[in-house]
Amino acid sequence: MHHVRVADAEAFLSSADLMKPLGRLLDTTDLAVNYYEVEPDSHLAPFYHAHADQEEVFYVLAGELTFAVGDREGPTEEVVVAADETVRFAPGEFQRGRNDGTETVRVVALGGPKESTDVTRLRDCPDCGSLVEHDLRLSSEQDALLCVCRSCDGLTARIE
C-alpha cells in the first residue's frame, strides 16, 4: 500500500497553475493519477488533444471546468463539469478543459493505461492557420514547456 498527501507531492511543470503527478508517488503501474489546480481564465492542458491509446476521467473537486470537445477538425460542443461531477473521454476523443469561472478549480485526472504515447496535440498557429499539430518540448534551460508547430516549427506558447 502507498499513502500520499497531495500537499506533500512536488509540483510538476504544466500549463495548469498547479500539477502534481500523484501516480509517481503511489507507484501506479497501469494508471496515471494527477492532481491539478486551474485558476480563472487558465487551461488544464496547452492543447486541444486526443490520446489514441488512453482513456481519461476527470473528477472535479471544486469549481467548474468547461471542456471543449469534438473531433480533429475542432471543437463542436462544450461540456461543463461542476464540483462532485466526473467526465470520461474515450481513446481518440478530442478535448481541452478551461476554467471560465471566478474560483480556482481543483480536479483529479485518471488515465489508463498510465503511459500515453500516441497523442494528437492541436493548437492555433498564426503562421499556418487554424488548428495544426504541435509538439511539446522542454526548453534548453529546462525551465519551460514549449508548444511548437509541426508544420513551420514556430513557437506558439511558452509555459513557465
Side-chain angles (χ1 to χ4, degrees):
M1 183 196 77
H2 288 87
H3 177 231
V4 174
R5 288 174 28 101
V6 172
D8 295 338
E10 285 189 42
F12 188 80
L13 189 58
S14 167
S15 64
D17 296 283
L18 179 69
M19 186 270 208
K20 294 186 174 191
L22 302 179
R24 292 179 183 178
L25 294 175
L26 293 169
D27 200 27
T28 58
T29 57
D30 301 314
L31 179 69
V33 182
N34 295 304
Y35 170 83
Y36 294 94
E37 291 182 4
V38 184
E39 298 296 330
D41 299 319
S42 293
H43 286 84
L44 193 58
F47 305 102
Y48 176 67
H49 68 283
H51 300 265
D53 56 351
Q54 183 187 66
E55 67 181 320
E56 291 182 293
V57 173
F58 297 90
Y59 173 53
V60 177
L61 302 165
E64 217 174 63
L65 273 178
T66 301
F67 285 91
V69 296
D71 56 27
R72 187 177 180 81
E73 301 305 311
T76 56
E77 67 178 302
E78 293 188 343
V79 175
V80 177
V81 183
D84 292 325
E85 293 182 350
T86 60
V87 64
R88 175 192 177 262
F89 295 100
E93 287 188 294
F94 280 85
Q95 53 88 5
R96 186 179 187 201
R98 70 178 184 276
N99 181 353
D100 289 339
T102 58
E103 65 179 284
T104 301
V105 172
R106 294 185 309 117
V107 62
V108 173
L110 307 170
K114 182 178 180 177
E115 299 299 326
S116 179
T117 57
D118 189 359
V119 184
T120 302
R121 298 173 181 96
L122 303 174
R123 257 182 91 81
D124 287 328
C125 176
D127 295 329
C128 295
S130 60
L131 287 176
V132 292
E133 287 197 43
H134 275 65
D135 290 316
L136 188 61
R137 300 178 187 162
L138 190 59
S139 68
S140 58
E141 300 84 17
Q142 298 188 348
D143 63 346
L145 296 173
L146 308 176
C147 299
V148 180
C149 176
R150 279 194 184 171
S151 298
C152 72
D153 209 35
L155 180 66
T156 61
R158 179 182 174 93
I159 302 160
E160 298 180 5

